């Protein structure tokens, strides 16, 4: 949407007082997965996710009048308290791309300090929380200088749009409980360019869902999400997959509305395994699953069959298991986690997380 390109957002350089903005933004877990993209970060199919609570990035953006005459972004960056050249370079490149949307960034010296709530080496993707936290900071800055984003809906939509340009899935982290990204006709207002809040479309039970992240391996993944998306272009199953995602979206939206936690299990697991099946069916093929991922899957399915409890798993683009269950069975599921799943985690490490209320300005 070129409407967000705005050459008028320029400051009167004589009056810039130094200041800062701070945002905490969570990660999210897709139930219907985004896998395959085109153009500038546009999804091949609609996706829907839980917004998490305990896995988040906190970003402080300090700014002041620009200290150099050089054109372009002037940035210092700290990640978890230290300088990290790779993150500095990718953030610099992202901000440079953001200049048409926030031209005033060229008039400032910026310092970004960012940290994750989860250990860097946990094998959890931080792009959704990281890019959404940074995008929220940029929107706050725009609103502080120009008063253009005072309406919360306008603010969130731009924050989601900008997040998407940083990392597709990040656009879904902006909203509480659940978000939908990608044009899906039956949901009015849905768009390929930003996510929309789904709070009003879901049963209360899902707002209290738990999402325990069982760390099977903290190793950096062998194939990045970006490369994985690219492999979808020649995947012979791609068209069928995009159709299937739309069909599953229809089923899932009904399930979410009805609060049908059993039917939810079926569809969440089908989607998780479809994502990994697509990776295995790519050329070149690859798998990110580990033996202990499969052991956990077996264990969770057996537990569900025996107890009838609606506990299920999902997967991101990695080997770690996201265990999903309603609040009403948390005590029972804790026993399953402690006795059966923790022994299969790397050094027994897992993260307690749950569905959250979205980003927070601090
Ligand atoms: C498997 O959002 O990380 O987690 O847009 O290239 O940054 P880029 O990819 P990214 O892909 C996430 C894929 C996924 C599924 C999902 O979150 O929907």
């Amino acid at each position: 949407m070129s409407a967000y390109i705005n050459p008028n957002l320029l400051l009167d350089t004589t009056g810039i007082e130094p200041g800062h903005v701070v945002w905490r933004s969570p990660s999210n877990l897709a139930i219907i997965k985004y896998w395959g993209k085109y153009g500038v970060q546009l999804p091949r199919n609609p996706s829907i996710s839980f917004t998490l609570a305990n896995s988040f990035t906190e970003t402080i953006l300090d700014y002041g009048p620009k200290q150099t005459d050089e054109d372009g972004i002037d940035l210092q960056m700290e990640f978890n308290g230290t300088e990290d050249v790779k993150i500095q370079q990718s953030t610099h490149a992202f901000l440079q791309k953001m200049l048409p949307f926030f031209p005033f960034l060229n008039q400032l010296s910026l310092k970004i300090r960012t940290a994750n709530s989860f250990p860097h080496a946990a094998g959890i993707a931080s792009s959704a929380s990281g890019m959404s936290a940074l995008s929220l900071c940029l929107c706050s800055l725009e609103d502080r200088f120009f008063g253009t984003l005072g309406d919360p809906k306008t603010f969130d939509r731009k924050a989601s749009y900008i997040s998407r340009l940083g990392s597709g899935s990040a656009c879904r982290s902006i909203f509480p409980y659940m978000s939908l990204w990608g044009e899906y006709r039956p949901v009015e207002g849905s768009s390929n360019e930003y996510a929309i809040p789904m709070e009003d479309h879901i049963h209360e039970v899902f707002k209290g869902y738990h999402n325990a992240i069982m760390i099977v391996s903290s190793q950096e993944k062998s194939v990045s999400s970006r490369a994985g998306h690219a492999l979808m272009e020649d995947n012979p199953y791609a068209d069928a997959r995009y159709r299937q995602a739309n069909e599953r979206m229809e089923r899932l939206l009904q399930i979410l509305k009805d609060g049908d936690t059993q039917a939810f299990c079926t569809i969440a697991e089908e989607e998780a395994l479809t994502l990994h099946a697509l990776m295995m069916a790519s050329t070149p093929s690859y798998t990110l699953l580990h033996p202990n991922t499969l052991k956990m899957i077996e264990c969770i399915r057996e537990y569900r069959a025996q107890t009838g409890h609606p506990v299920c798993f999902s997967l991101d683009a990695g080997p770690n298991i996201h265990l999903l269950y309603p609040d009403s069975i948390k005590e029972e599921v804790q026993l399953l986690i402690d006795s059966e799943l923790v022994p299969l985690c790397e050094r027994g490490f897992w993260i307690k997380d749950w569905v959250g209320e979205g980003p927070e300005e601090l």
Side-chain angles (χ1 to χ4, degrees):
M1 198 197 296
S2 53
Y4 285 129
I5 294 184
N6 188 350
N8 298 324
L9 297 177
L10 282 170
L11 295 161
D12 170 2
T13 43
T14 52
I16 301 174
E17 294 286 333
H20 66 271
V21 287
V22 189
W23 276 91
R24 170 185 288 184
S25 188
S27 187
N28 68 75
L29 172 82
I31 303 302
I32 303 290
K33 310 287 183 183
Y34 147 58
W35 201 241
K37 61 176 167 179
Y38 69 97
V40 185
Q41 296 277 92
L42 299 166
R44 290 277 185 201
N45 64 262
S47 59
I48 186 167
S49 57
F50 278 134
T51 302
L52 299 183
N54 200 27
S55 307
F56 58 81
T57 299
E58 234 171 66
T59 297
I60 306 170
L61 172 57
D62 294 299
Y63 61 89
K66 200 169 189 177
Q67 302 297 332
T68 99
D69 295 333
E70 267 176 56
D71 200 36
I73 295 293
D74 178 29
L75 173 69
Q76 268 184 292
M77 173 116 203
E78 260 177 33
F79 175 66
N80 284 342
T82 52
E83 281 180 23
D84 182 310
V85 179
K86 231 171 106 187
I87 293 180
Q88 139 85 18
Q89 283 172 348
S90 63
T91 308
H92 189 276
F94 172 69
L95 291 174
Q96 198 65 37
K97 273 198 281 183
M98 290 304 104
L99 283 173
F101 305 100
F102 306 103
F104 58 88
L105 293 177
N106 205 10
Q107 302 174 289
L108 301 172
S109 279
L110 304 170
K111 180 167 182 190
I112 294 175
R113 286 171 286 159
T114 188
N116 295 333
S117 65
F118 43 91
H120 187 38
I124 303 189
S126 56
S127 67
S129 55
M131 291 316 306
S132 55
L134 178 56
S135 302
L136 287 156
C137 286
L138 297 179
C139 289
S140 280
L141 215 53
E142 174 186 323
D143 191 50
R144 180 171 299 181
F145 290 144
F146 304 97
T148 38
L149 300 171
D151 167 47
K153 280 196 180 134
T154 311
F155 183 97
D156 288 350
R157 181 162 293 182
K158 180 157 184 181
S160 181
Y161 178 95
I162 297 295
S163 301
R164 184 198 102 230
L165 297 177
S167 175
S169 56
C171 75
R172 296 185 312 238
S173 279
I174 302 298
F175 303 101
Y177 310 119
M178 292 196 95
S179 314
L180 183 144
W181 170 41
E183 195 180 319
Y184 178 66
R185 291 264 158 80
V187 175
E188 211 187 296
S190 60
S191 167
N192 281 345
E193 302 199 307
Y194 44 80
I196 57 169
M198 292 302 281
E199 182 176 354
D200 296 341
H201 299 255
I202 64 172
H203 191 280
E204 285 298 314
V205 70
F206 292 109
K207 297 182 187 169
Y209 247 56
H210 291 255
N211 183 343
I213 310 171
M214 314 308 299
I215 307 297
V216 171
S217 168
S218 58
Q219 296 245 307
E220 205 164 306
K221 51 194 174 190
S222 52
V223 181
S224 70
S225 283
R226 182 196 287 192
H229 286 290
L231 288 174
M232 281 303 280
E233 290 307 295
D234 292 320
N235 189 311
Y237 301 105
D239 287 341
R241 157 59 193 163
Y242 303 139
R243 258 200 320 279
Q244 174 192 60
N246 278 277
E247 285 156 15
R248 283 185 178 158
M249 184 65 83
E250 185 181 355
R251 267 168 56 209
L252 180 62
L253 289 177
Q254 193 59 48
I255 289 166
L256 292 172
K257 202 164 149 197
D258 295 344
D260 186 344
T261 54
Q262 292 290 353
F264 176 82
C265 288
T266 311
I267 204 158
E269 294 188 353
E270 281 170 1
E271 264 297 290
L273 293 178
T274 298
L275 171 69
H276 286 264
L278 289 165
M279 296 173 193
M280 292 184 215
S282 295
T283 308
S285 73
Y286 65 106
T287 178
L288 301 178
L289 301 177
H290 284 216
N292 280 0
T293 315
L294 298 176
K295 282 192 190 146
M296 285 195 199
I297 289 175
E298 210 172 315
C299 182
I300 294 160
R301 288 183 158 176
E302 211 172 280
Y303 178 86
R304 188 164 71 240
Q306 277 169 8
T307 62
H309 289 328
V311 51
C312 62
F313 67 85
S314 186
L315 297 156
D316 258 334
N320 302 323
I321 289 277
H322 287 251
L323 193 69
L324 304 170
Y325 51 99
D327 192 58
S328 56
I329 53 167
K330 65 171 183 283
E331 274 96 22
E332 294 91 320
V333 176
Q334 192 58 51
L335 298 176
L336 167 75
I337 291 176
D338 293 338
S339 64
E340 311 257 352
L341 302 181
V342 170
L344 296 169
C345 290
E346 186 180 79
R347 297 189 299 276
F349 184 52
W350 67 286
I351 295 171
K352 200 177 194 132
D353 212 337
W354 56 92
V355 172
E357 294 181 3
E360 209 185 326
E361 186 168 16
L362 303 174

